[in-house]
Amino acid sequence: MKTVIKAEIVAHSINEQGDELISVMATFPRFILAEVNTHRMLSKNTSSSRAIPFNKMVEAVENNPFIPIAWQKEHKGMQGSEYLTGSLTEYNWLKARDKAVEQAKILHGLDVTKQLCNRLLEPFMWTTMLITGSREGWNNFFNLRCPSYE
């Protein structure tokens, strides 16, 4: 079974004053982690690529890599609207994954710690994060990350 981007509300409570606390279990490409971590109004706990054994990480990246579902063309600013077509992009992405795995294995063979070897594999990894925040925190998160198109 291939990993997919998903989010599930695992807890939602409201106190007597009407304040809401919402916890979400989210799975997403690891490179998005830095974007999520910029939001200080949310409390987060994520799986650690430093803690996962190197061989297990290589197996996950080889058997179930993150592959973008769309390839945006180069653009200015934060939001692009044009996309590339064709299969060369995915082919080259997987070639990059293969090179990263190859180099990580070489470093691991030189007795370099998994904490560094696993970092080379992160662009192709999935991660799972528990994110908890108030209604205000979640509204802020979505307002900053969801573009408004006319």
Side-chain angles (χ1 to χ4, degrees):
M1 183 172 150
K2 295 292 182 186
T3 304
V4 295
I5 296 171
K6 63 182 176 179
E8 177 184 358
I9 295 174
V10 294
H12 183 187
S13 59
I14 304 173
N15 68 13
E16 291 178 4
Q17 292 76 33
D19 301 318
E20 293 181 73
L21 193 62
I22 305 164
S23 294
V24 172
M25 186 69 72
T27 299
F28 51 86
R30 187 164 182 89
F31 75 84
I32 294 174
L33 184 60
E35 302 299 325
V36 177
N37 283 339
T38 63
H39 294 276
R40 294 178 50 204
M41 295 179 78
L42 301 173
S43 176
K44 301 162 288 281
N45 190 336
T46 189
S47 57
S48 171
S49 65
R50 294 180 339 148
I52 300 170
F54 176 73
N55 291 331
K56 186 174 180 182
M57 187 68 67
V58 168
E59 181 181 339
V61 167
E62 287 179 330
N63 295 331
N64 188 20
F66 161 70
I67 302 171
I69 59 172
W71 301 89
Q72 255 185 17
K73 288 186 177 183
E74 177 64 27
H75 59 83
K76 293 181 180 180
M78 298 279 287
Q79 298 291 333
S81 60
E82 294 183 69
Y83 293 86
L84 299 169
T85 58
S87 61
L88 277 180
T89 47
E90 183 172 323
Y91 171 79
N92 284 295
W93 180 264
L94 291 174
K95 292 292 283 183
R97 184 253 346 240
D98 294 344
K99 288 287 187 185
V101 166
E102 176 186 333
Q103 293 304 311
K105 285 180 176 179
I106 289 170
L107 289 170
H108 192 254
L110 295 172
D111 209 26
V112 172
T113 178
K114 68 181 176 192
Q115 295 176 13
L116 293 175
C117 296
N118 284 351
R119 296 284 187 215
L120 293 176
L121 307 177
E122 286 185 354
F124 312 98
M125 291 169 42
W126 294 91
T127 195
T128 299
M129 176 182 264
L130 179 64
I131 312 168
T132 300
S134 65
R135 171 68 67 181
E136 178 186 23
W138 282 107
N139 286 345
N140 175 265
F141 175 82
F142 287 116
N143 286 337
L144 291 172
R145 294 290 167 210
C146 297
S148 297
Y149 298 110
E150 295 180 15

